[in-house]
Coordinates of all heavy atoms in Angstrom, one line a residue:
P1011 N -15.1 -5.4 0.6 CA -15.5 -5.0 -0.8 C -16.1 -3.7 -0.8 O -16.9 -3.3 0.1 CB -16.5 -6.1 -1.1 CG -16.2 -7.2 -0.2 CD -15.7 -6.6 1.1
L1012 N -15.9 -2.9 -1.8 CA -16.5 -1.6 -2.0 C -18.0 -1.7 -2.0 O -18.7 -0.8 -1.5 CB -16.0 -0.9 -3.3 CG -16.4 0.5 -3.5 CD1 -16.0 1.5 -2.4 CD2 -16.0 1.0 -4.9
S1013 N -18.5 -2.7 -2.6 CA -20.0 -2.9 -2.7 C -20.6 -2.9 -1.3 O -21.8 -2.4 -1.1 CB -20.3 -4.1 -3.5 OG -19.8 -5.3 -2.9
E1014 N -20.0 -3.5 -0.3 CA -20.5 -3.6 1.1 C -20.6 -2.2 1.7 O -21.5 -1.9 2.5 CB -19.7 -4.5 2.0 CG -19.8 -5.9 1.6 CD -19.2 -6.8 2.7 OE1 -19.2 -6.4 3.9 OE2 -18.9 -8.0 2.3
L1015 N -19.7 -1.3 1.3 CA -19.7 0.1 1.8 C -20.8 0.9 1.1 O -21.5 1.7 1.8 CB -18.4 0.7 1.7 CG -17.2 0.0 2.4 CD1 -15.9 0.5 2.0 CD2 -17.4 0.1 3.9
T1016 N -20.8 0.8 -0.2 CA -21.7 1.7 -0.9 C -23.2 1.2 -0.7 O -24.1 2.1 -0.8 CB -21.4 1.6 -2.5 OG1 -21.4 0.2 -2.9 CG2 -20.1 2.2 -2.8
A1017 N -23.4 0.0 -0.3 CA -24.8 -0.5 0.0 C -25.3 0.3 1.2 O -26.6 0.4 1.4 CB -24.8 -2.0 0.3
L1018 N -24.4 0.8 2.1 CA -24.9 1.5 3.3 C -25.3 2.9 3.0 O -25.9 3.6 3.8 CB -23.8 1.6 4.3 CG -23.3 0.2 4.8 CD1 -22.1 0.3 5.8 CD2 -24.4 -0.6 5.5
E1019 N -25.1 3.4 1.7 CA -25.6 4.8 1.3 C -27.1 4.9 1.4 O -27.6 6.0 1.5 CB -25.1 5.1 -0.1 CG -23.6 5.3 -0.3 CD -23.2 5.6 -1.7 OE1 -23.6 6.7 -2.1 OE2 -22.6 4.7 -2.4
D1020 N -27.8 3.8 1.4 CA -29.3 3.8 1.4 C -29.8 4.1 2.8 O -31.0 4.4 3.0 CB -29.8 2.4 1.0 CG -29.6 2.2 -0.5 OD1 -29.4 3.2 -1.2 OD2 -29.5 1.0 -0.9
I1021 N -28.9 4.0 3.9 CA -29.4 4.3 5.2 C -29.5 5.9 5.4 O -28.5 6.6 5.2 CB -28.4 3.8 6.3 CG1 -28.2 2.3 6.1 CG2 -28.8 4.2 7.7 CD1 -27.2 1.7 7.1
E1022 N -30.7 6.3 5.6 CA -31.0 7.8 5.6 C -30.5 8.5 6.8 O -30.0 9.6 6.8 CB -32.5 8.0 5.4 CG -33.0 7.6 4.0 CD -34.5 8.0 3.9 OE1 -35.1 8.6 4.8 OE2 -35.0 7.6 2.8
D1023 N -30.6 7.8 8.0 CA -30.1 8.4 9.2 C -28.6 8.5 9.3 O -27.9 7.5 9.2 CB -30.7 7.6 10.4 CG -30.3 8.2 11.8 OD1 -30.9 9.2 12.1 OD2 -29.3 7.8 12.4
D1024 N -28.1 9.7 9.4 CA -26.6 9.9 9.4 C -25.9 9.1 10.5 O -24.9 8.4 10.2 CB -26.3 11.4 9.5 CG -26.5 12.2 8.3 OD1 -26.8 11.5 7.2 OD2 -26.5 13.4 8.3
S1025 N -26.4 9.2 11.7 CA -25.7 8.5 12.8 C -25.7 7.0 12.6 O -24.7 6.3 12.9 CB -26.3 8.9 14.2 OG -27.7 8.6 14.2
E1026 N -26.8 6.5 12.2 CA -26.9 5.0 11.9 C -26.0 4.6 10.8 O -25.3 3.6 10.9 CB -28.4 4.7 11.6 CG -28.6 3.2 11.4 CD -30.0 2.9 11.1 OE1 -30.9 3.8 11.2 OE2 -30.3 1.7 10.6
R1027 N -25.9 5.4 9.7 CA -25.1 5.1 8.6 C -23.6 5.1 9.0 O -22.8 4.2 8.6 CB -25.4 6.0 7.4 CG -24.6 5.7 6.2 CD -25.0 6.5 5.0 NE -24.6 7.9 5.2 CZ -25.5 8.9 5.5 NH1 -26.8 8.6 5.7 NH2 -25.1 10.2 5.7
F1028 N -23.2 6.2 9.7 CA -21.8 6.3 10.1 C -21.4 5.2 11.0 O -20.3 4.7 11.0 CB -21.5 7.7 10.7 CG -21.6 8.8 9.7 CD1 -22.2 10.0 10.1 CD2 -21.1 8.7 8.4 CE1 -22.3 11.1 9.2 CE2 -21.1 9.7 7.5 CZ -21.7 10.9 7.9
A1029 N -22.3 4.8 11.9 CA -22.0 3.7 12.9 C -21.8 2.4 12.1 O -20.9 1.6 12.5 CB -23.1 3.6 13.9
A1030 N -22.6 2.2 11.1 CA -22.5 1.0 10.3 C -21.1 1.0 9.5 O -20.5 -0.1 9.4 CB -23.6 0.8 9.3
L1031 N -20.8 2.1 9.0 CA -19.5 2.2 8.2 C -18.3 2.0 9.2 O -17.4 1.3 8.8 CB -19.4 3.6 7.6 CG -20.2 3.8 6.3 CD1 -20.3 5.3 6.0 CD2 -19.7 3.1 5.1
E1032 N -18.4 2.6 10.4 CA -17.2 2.5 11.3 C -17.0 1.1 11.8 O -15.9 0.8 12.3 CB -17.4 3.5 12.4 CG -17.2 4.9 11.9 CD -17.5 6.0 12.9 OE1 -17.5 5.7 14.1 OE2 -17.9 7.1 12.5
E1033 N -18.0 0.2 11.7 CA -17.8 -1.2 12.0 C -16.7 -1.8 11.2 O -16.1 -2.8 11.6 CB -19.1 -2.0 11.9 CG -20.2 -1.7 12.9 CD -19.8 -2.2 14.3 OE1 -19.2 -3.3 14.4 OE2 -20.0 -1.5 15.3
F1034 N -16.4 -1.3 10.0 CA -15.4 -1.9 9.1 C -14.0 -1.3 9.4 O -13.1 -1.8 8.8 CB -15.8 -1.5 7.6 CG -17.0 -2.3 7.1 CD1 -18.2 -1.6 7.0 CD2 -17.0 -3.6 6.8 CE1 -19.4 -2.3 6.5 CE2 -18.1 -4.3 6.4 CZ -19.3 -3.6 6.2
L1035 N -13.9 -0.3 10.2 CA -12.6 0.3 10.5 C -11.7 -0.6 11.4 O -12.2 -1.3 12.3 CB -12.7 1.6 11.1 CG -13.3 2.7 10.2 CD1 -13.3 4.1 11.0 CD2 -12.5 2.9 8.9
V1036 N -10.4 -0.6 11.1 CA -9.4 -1.3 11.9 C -8.7 -0.2 12.7 O -8.4 0.9 12.2 CB -8.4 -2.0 11.0 CG1 -7.3 -2.6 11.8 CG2 -9.1 -3.1 10.2
D1037 N -8.4 -0.5 14.0 CA -7.7 0.5 14.8 C -6.4 1.0 14.3 O -5.7 0.2 13.7 CB -7.5 -0.1 16.2 CG -7.1 1.0 17.2 OD1 -8.0 1.7 17.7 OD2 -5.9 1.1 17.5
T1038 N -6.1 2.3 14.4 CA -4.9 2.9 13.9 C -3.7 2.1 14.3 O -2.7 2.0 13.6 CB -4.8 4.3 14.4 OG1 -6.0 5.0 13.9 CG2 -3.6 5.0 13.8
S1039 N -3.6 1.6 15.6 CA -2.4 1.0 16.1 C -2.1 -0.3 15.4 O -1.0 -0.8 15.4 CB -2.6 0.7 17.6 OG -3.7 -0.2 17.8
E1040 N -3.1 -0.9 14.6 CA -2.8 -2.1 13.8 C -1.7 -1.9 12.8 O -1.1 -2.9 12.4 CB -4.1 -2.6 13.1 CG -5.1 -3.2 14.0 CD -4.8 -4.5 14.6 OE1 -4.0 -5.3 13.9 OE2 -5.2 -4.9 15.7
A1041 N -1.5 -0.6 12.4 CA -0.4 -0.3 11.4 C 1.0 -0.4 12.0 O 2.0 -0.3 11.3 CB -0.7 1.0 10.8
L1042 N 1.0 -0.5 13.4 CA 2.3 -0.3 14.0 C 2.8 -1.6 14.7 O 3.7 -1.5 15.6 CB 2.2 0.8 15.1 CG 1.7 2.1 14.6 CD1 1.5 3.1 15.7 CD2 2.7 2.7 13.6
T1043 N 2.2 -2.7 14.3 CA 2.6 -4.0 15.0 C 4.0 -4.4 14.9 O 4.5 -5.3 15.6 CB 1.7 -5.1 14.6 OG1 1.7 -5.2 13.1 CG2 0.2 -4.9 15.0
S1044 N 4.8 -3.8 13.9 CA 6.2 -4.1 13.8 C 7.0 -3.4 14.8 O 8.2 -3.7 14.9 CB 6.6 -3.8 12.4 OG 6.5 -2.4 12.1
L1045 N 6.4 -2.4 15.5 CA 7.2 -1.6 16.5 C 7.0 -2.1 17.9 O 5.9 -2.7 18.2 CB 6.7 -0.1 16.4 CG 6.8 0.6 15.1 CD1 6.4 2.1 15.3 CD2 8.3 0.6 14.6
P1046 N 8.0 -1.9 18.8 CA 7.7 -2.3 20.2 C 6.6 -1.5 20.8 O 6.4 -0.3 20.4 CB 9.1 -1.8 20.9 CG 10.1 -1.8 19.8 CD 9.3 -1.4 18.5
H1047 N 5.8 -2.1 21.7 CA 4.6 -1.5 22.3 C 4.9 -1.1 23.7 O 5.4 -2.0 24.5 CB 3.5 -2.5 22.2 CG 2.2 -2.0 22.8 ND1 1.4 -2.8 23.6 CD2 1.7 -0.8 22.9 CE1 0.4 -2.2 24.0 NE2 0.5 -0.9 23.7
V1048 N 4.5 0.1 24.1 CA 4.6 0.5 25.5 C 3.2 0.8 26.1 O 2.6 1.8 25.7 CB 5.5 1.8 25.6 CG1 5.6 2.2 27.1 CG2 6.9 1.5 25.1
P1049 N 2.7 0.0 27.0 CA 1.4 0.3 27.6 C 1.6 1.4 28.6 O 2.6 1.4 29.4 CB 1.0 -1.0 28.3 CG 2.0 -2.0 27.9 CD 3.2 -1.3 27.4
V1050 N 0.7 2.4 28.7 CA 0.9 3.5 29.6 C -0.4 3.8 30.4 O -1.5 3.2 30.0 CB 1.3 4.9 28.8 CG1 2.6 4.7 28.2 CG2 0.2 5.3 27.8
T1051 N -0.3 4.5 31.5 CA -1.5 4.9 32.3 C -2.2 6.1 31.7 O -1.6 6.8 30.8 CB -1.0 5.2 33.7 OG1 -0.2 6.4 33.7 CG2 -0.2 4.0 34.3
D1052 N -3.3 6.4 32.2 CA -4.0 7.6 31.8 C -3.2 8.9 32.0 O -3.2 9.8 31.2 CB -5.4 7.7 32.5 CG -6.4 6.7 32.0 OD1 -6.3 6.2 30.8 OD2 -7.3 6.3 32.8
E1053 N -2.6 8.9 33.2 CA -1.8 10.1 33.5 C -0.6 10.2 32.5 O -0.2 11.3 32.1 CB -1.3 10.1 34.9 CG -0.4 11.2 35.4 CD -0.9 12.6 35.1 OE1 -2.2 12.7 35.1 OE2 -0.2 13.6 34.9
Q1054 N 0.1 9.1 32.3 CA 1.2 9.1 31.3 C 0.7 9.5 29.9 O 1.4 10.2 29.2 CB 1.9 7.7 31.3 CG 2.7 7.4 32.5 CD 3.2 6.0 32.5 OE1 2.5 5.1 32.0 NE2 4.5 5.8 32.9
A1055 N -0.5 9.0 29.5 CA -1.0 9.4 28.2 C -1.3 10.9 28.1 O -1.0 11.5 27.1 CB -2.3 8.6 28.0
R1056 N -1.8 11.5 29.2 CA -2.0 12.9 29.2 C -0.7 13.7 29.0 O -0.6 14.6 28.2 CB -2.6 13.3 30.6 CG -3.1 14.8 30.6 CD -3.5 15.2 32.0 NE -2.4 15.2 32.9 CZ -1.5 16.1 33.0 NH1 -1.6 17.2 32.2 NH2 -0.5 16.0 33.9
R1057 N 0.4 13.2 29.7 CA 1.7 13.9 29.5 C 2.2 13.8 28.1 O 2.7 14.7 27.5 CB 2.7 13.3 30.5 CG 2.5 13.7 31.9 CD 3.6 13.2 32.8 NE 4.9 13.6 32.3 CZ 5.5 14.8 32.5 NH1 4.8 15.8 33.2 NH2 6.7 15.1 32.1
L1058 N 2.1 12.6 27.5 CA 2.5 12.3 26.2 C 1.8 13.2 25.2 O 2.4 13.8 24.2 CB 2.4 10.8 25.8 CG 3.3 9.9 26.5 CD1 3.0 8.4 26.2 CD2 4.8 10.1 26.1
K1059 N 0.5 13.3 25.3 CA -0.3 14.1 24.4 C 0.1 15.6 24.4 O -0.2 16.3 23.5 CB -1.8 13.9 24.7 CG -2.3 12.6 24.2 CD -3.8 12.4 24.4 CE -4.3 11.1 24.0 NZ -5.7 10.9 24.2
L1060 N 0.7 16.0 25.6 CA 1.2 17.4 25.7 C 2.6 17.5 25.1 O 3.2 18.6 25.2 CB 1.1 17.8 27.1 CG -0.3 18.0 27.8 CD1 -0.2 18.3 29.2 CD2 -1.0 19.1 27.1
G1061 N 3.1 16.4 24.6 CA 4.5 16.4 24.1 C 5.6 16.2 25.0 O 6.8 16.4 24.7
N1062 N 5.2 15.8 26.3 CA 6.2 15.6 27.3 C 6.7 14.1 27.4 O 5.9 13.2 27.2 CB 5.7 16.0 28.7 CG 5.3 17.4 28.7 OD1 6.0 18.3 28.3 ND2 4.1 17.7 29.3
P1063 N 8.0 13.9 27.7 CA 8.4 12.5 27.9 C 7.9 11.9 29.2 O 7.5 12.6 30.1 CB 10.0 12.6 27.9 CG 10.2 14.0 28.4 CD 9.1 14.9 27.9
I1064 N 7.9 10.6 29.2 CA 7.6 9.9 30.5 C 8.7 8.9 30.8 O 9.4 8.4 30.0 CB 6.2 9.1 30.4 CG1 6.3 8.1 29.3 CG2 5.1 10.1 30.2 CD1 5.1 7.1 29.2
I1065 N 8.9 8.7 32.1 CA 9.9 7.7 32.6 C 9.3 6.3 32.6 O 8.1 6.1 33.0 CB 10.4 8.1 34.0 CG1 11.1 9.4 34.0 CG2 11.3 7.0 34.5 CD1 11.4 10.0 35.4
L1066 N 10.0 5.3 32.0 CA 9.6 4.0 32.0 C 10.2 3.2 33.2 O 11.4 3.2 33.3 CB 9.9 3.3 30.7 CG 9.4 4.0 29.4 CD1 9.9 3.3 28.2 CD2 7.9 4.1 29.4
R1067 N 9.4 2.6 34.0 CA 9.9 1.9 35.2 C 9.6 0.5 35.1 O 8.8 0.0 34.3 CB 9.2 2.5 36.5 CG 9.3 4.0 36.6 CD 8.7 4.5 37.9 NE 8.7 5.9 38.0 CZ 9.7 6.7 38.4 NH1 10.9 6.1 38.7 NH2 9.6 8.0 38.4
G1068 N 10.3 -0.3 35.9 CA 10.1 -1.7 35.9 C 11.3 -2.5 35.3 O 12.0 -2.0 34.5
A1069 N 11.5 -3.7 35.8 CA 12.6 -4.5 35.4 C 12.6 -4.8 33.9 O 13.7 -5.0 33.3 CB 12.6 -5.8 36.2
H1070 N 11.4 -4.9 33.3 CA 11.3 -5.3 31.9 C 11.1 -4.1 31.0 O 10.9 -4.3 29.8 CB 10.2 -6.3 31.7 CG 10.3 -7.5 32.5 ND1 11.3 -8.5 32.2 CD2 9.6 -8.0 33.6 CE1 11.2 -9.5 33.1 NE2 10.2 -9.2 34.0
A1071 N 11.2 -2.9 31.5 CA 11.1 -1.7 30.7 C 12.2 -1.5 29.7 O 13.4 -1.7 30.1 CB 11.0 -0.4 31.6
P1072 N 11.9 -1.3 28.4 CA 13.0 -1.1 27.5 C 13.8 0.1 27.7 O 13.3 1.1 28.3 CB 12.2 -1.0 26.1 CG 10.8 -0.6 26.5 CD 10.6 -1.2 27.8
V1073 N 15.1 0.1 27.4 CA 16.0 1.2 27.7 C 16.2 2.1 26.4 O 16.2 3.3 26.5 CB 17.3 0.7 28.3 CG1 18.2 1.9 28.5 CG2 17.1 0.0 29.6

Side-chain angles (χ1 to χ4, degrees):
L1012 182 62
S1013 58
E1014 288 193 24
L1015 300 170
T1016 55
L1018 300 176
E1019 292 181 69
D1020 294 334
I1021 300 175
E1022 293 184 5
D1023 183 78
D1024 286 350
S1025 58
E1026 185 182 345
R1027 184 174 66 258
F1028 290 139
L1031 284 166
E1032 287 172 25
E1033 286 292 319
F1034 291 103
L1035 291 182
V1036 175
D1037 191 80
T1038 300
S1039 62
E1040 289 288 333
L1042 304 173
T1043 54
S1044 62
L1045 300 182
H1047 174 220
V1048 178
V1050 297
T1051 65
D1052 287 333
E1053 176 57 26
Q1054 288 175 320
R1056 187 188 66 79
R1057 286 185 55 80
L1058 289 173
K1059 287 182 180 182
L1060 292 173
N1062 299 315
I1064 60 170
I1065 297 172
L1066 302 178
R1067 305 184 187 280
H1070 301 292
V1073 178

